[in-house]
């Protein structure tokens, strides 16, 4: 690391920190004004709101804007240096163009690695704080509460041949008013179990059926019996029956991987949302490197109009990146698009754009 490397790296990091803090403060102010009524309704004082909401909201908003803030910071300070002919002086002094880009690449790796680790562990922990407040004090008072008939009815595939239905489930009492279990082999039901009530046994850590009726079909032989009370292991815990729209945001990456693996064994549908989130946590930190190098290639040249023109170009490219990212997520979660490809598609496209800009850059 030479003086030139430290000079550019220092400018990159300090500009990024300033830009990130500025935008985060603006986001906090806007969010506070929008949720003022919810904060009053919660009955919490300022210190409680900080520990129960904002300590989770700030990392969340930072994770959303992190790659774009790196991109904007790179363009901003680089264009300032270009306007003062600093890059021209560096190149005229015998420094090769690729060598001049080295501190940009080092800074991108540092910020990308930091963001990757935060995305895997820190941000999900912060999201747990934010979403707990959101679901308790904001969503519960929303005018739209979703489908009331789906909130306490669950239909699960426990294993390859076992299907379970739990109706009218009470998450507080851990009890349901109706239960059925079907075992199917070769498109034929060979076992049927129903009960009027099912509840969680906190001692034995399994489920208790009350007034269960068991039907067994073995070819031409069919048997039925009534069981006043029986214990059954469904491989389903009560916390898994609580609908949580923020589950993918609250799980750390190891927890998210384990959840996806378990649900795939059960044959659950709609896992593309969780898979896309899993791959997105790896793809987004990599975009920090791509956007940093793209910003360096764009802003190290001196153009008419100064930094304003370069910032405008950067904002346009940032908007295109965000739109492309949102479209790919929608195609993955709502359609049949591969979640991995959806997460990495913006990076792939912008890698080619960055390569083309580098090839066209005057060296």
């Amino acid at each position: 690391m030479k003086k030139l490397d430290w000079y550019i790296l220092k400018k990159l990091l300090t500009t990024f920190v300033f830009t990130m803090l500025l935008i985060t403060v603006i986001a906090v102010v806007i969010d506070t004004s929008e949720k003022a009524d919810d904060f009053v309704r919660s009955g919490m004082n300022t210190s409680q709101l900080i520990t129960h909401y904002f300590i989770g909201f700030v990392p969340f908003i930072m994770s959303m804007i992190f790659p774009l803030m790196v991109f904007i910071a790179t363009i901003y300070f680089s264009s300032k240096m270009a306007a003062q002919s600093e890059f021209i002086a560096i190149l005229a002094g015998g420094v090769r163009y690729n060598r001049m880009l080295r501190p940009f690449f080092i800074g991108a790796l540092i910020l990308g690695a930091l963001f990757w680790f935060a995305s895997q562990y820190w941000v999900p922990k912060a999201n747990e704080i934010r979403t707990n407040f959101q679901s308790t004090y904001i969503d519960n008072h929303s005018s739209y509460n979703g489908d009331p008939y789906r909130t306490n009815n669950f239909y699960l595939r426990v294993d390859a041949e076992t299907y379970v239905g739990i109706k009218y489930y009470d998450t507080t009492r851990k009890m349901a008013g109706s239960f059925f279990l079907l075992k199917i082999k070769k498109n034929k039901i060979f076992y049927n179990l129903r009960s009027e009530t099912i509840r969680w046994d906190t001692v034995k850590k399994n489920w208790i059926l009350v007034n269960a009726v068991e039907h067994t079909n073995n070819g031409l032989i069919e048997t039925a019996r009534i069981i006043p009370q029986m214990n059954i292991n469904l491989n389903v815990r009560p916390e898994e029956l609580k609908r949580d729209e923020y589950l993918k945001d609250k799980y750390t990456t190891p927890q998210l991987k384990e959840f996806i693996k378990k649900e795939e064994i059960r044959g659950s549908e709609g896992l593309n949302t969780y898979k896309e989130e899993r791959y997105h946590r790896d793809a987004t930190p990599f975009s920090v490197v791509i956007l940093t190098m793209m910003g360096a290639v764009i802003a190290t040249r001196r153009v008419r109009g100064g930094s304003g023109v370069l910032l405008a170009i950067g904002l346009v490219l940032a908007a295109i990146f965000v739109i492309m990212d949102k479209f790919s997520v929608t195609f993955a979660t709502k359609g049949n698009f591969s979640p991995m490809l959806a997460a990495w598609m913006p990076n792939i496209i912008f890698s080619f754009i960055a390569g083309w800009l580098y090839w066209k850059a005057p060296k």
Side-chain angles (χ1 to χ4, degrees), residues 192-224:
N192 184 355
L193 179 65
R194 296 178 180 271
S195 73
E196 297 178 1
T197 306
I198 181 173
R199 60 183 173 85
W200 177 252
D201 189 338
T202 56
V203 178
K204 297 182 178 180
K205 303 300 181 182
N206 58 14
W207 296 91
I208 297 177
L209 303 182
V210 179
N211 294 330
V213 180
E214 183 183 58
H215 291 269
T216 303
N217 185 358
N218 186 12
L220 299 176
I221 302 174
E222 183 176 350
T223 60

Side-chain angles (χ1 to χ4, degrees), residues 152 166-170 175-179 195-198:
N152 57 358
I166 300 176
K167 297 183 179 181
Y168 318 119
Y169 180 70
D170 187 338
M175 180 184 295
S178 178
F179 168 82
S195 73
E196 297 178 1
T197 306
I198 181 173

Side-chain angles (χ1 to χ4, degrees), residues 65-237:
I65 63 176
F66 194 101
L68 300 183
M69 290 303 100
V70 176
F71 184 49
I72 297 300
T74 302
I75 289 182
Y76 179 76
F77 90 85
S78 298
S79 62
K80 288 290 186 181
M81 291 180 64
Q84 297 171 5
S85 302
E86 292 186 54
F87 290 119
I88 295 176
I90 291 171
L91 295 173
V95 177
R96 292 180 302 169
Y97 186 77
N98 291 343
R99 176 65 182 83
M100 186 182 69
L101 293 179
R102 181 190 295 179
F104 290 95
F105 184 70
I106 294 173
L109 288 180
I110 294 173
L111 293 174
L114 175 65
F115 186 42
W116 181 87
F117 190 84
S119 300
Q120 311 298 314
Y121 302 100
W122 295 342
V123 175
K125 294 296 184 182
N127 279 333
E128 186 173 2
I129 298 173
R130 178 185 63 86
T131 55
N132 286 342
F133 183 94
Q134 181 90 15
S135 58
T136 303
Y137 298 104
I138 299 177
D139 294 346
N140 285 343
H141 297 88
S142 175
S143 58
Y144 176 74
N145 293 318
D147 187 352
Y149 299 101
R150 290 186 57 207
T151 55
N152 57 358
N153 295 337
F154 298 89
Y155 302 94
L156 308 171
R157 183 180 179 182
V158 178
D159 55 42
E161 60 182 22
T162 306
Y163 298 83
V164 169
I166 300 176
K167 297 183 179 181
Y168 318 119
Y169 180 70
D170 187 338
T171 57
T172 304
R173 299 167 60 195
K174 299 179 181 178
M175 180 184 295
S178 178
F179 168 82
F180 71 84
L181 182 148
L182 302 176
K183 291 192 175 183
I184 303 174
K185 184 180 294 184
K186 296 181 180 180
N187 296 326
K188 292 183 179 180
I189 299 175
F190 67 92
Y191 183 82
N192 184 355
L193 179 65
R194 296 178 180 271
S195 73
E196 297 178 1
T197 306
I198 181 173
R199 60 183 173 85
W200 177 252
D201 189 338
T202 56
V203 178
K204 297 182 178 180
K205 303 300 181 182
N206 58 14
W207 296 91
I208 297 177
L209 303 182
V210 179
N211 294 330
V213 180
E214 183 183 58
H215 291 269
T216 303
N217 185 358
N218 186 12
L220 299 176
I221 302 174
E222 183 176 350
T223 60
R225 62 174 181 149
I226 299 176
I227 307 173
Q229 181 171 308
M230 68 178 293
N231 289 76
I232 183 172
N233 184 14
L234 297 177
N235 195 29
V236 177
R237 299 183 63 85

Side-chain angles (χ1 to χ4, degrees), residues 40 104 114 146 194 229 247 249 304 328:
V40 173
F104 290 95
L114 175 65
R194 296 178 180 271
Q229 181 171 308
L247 194 62
D249 301 318
R304 290 184 178 180
S328 61

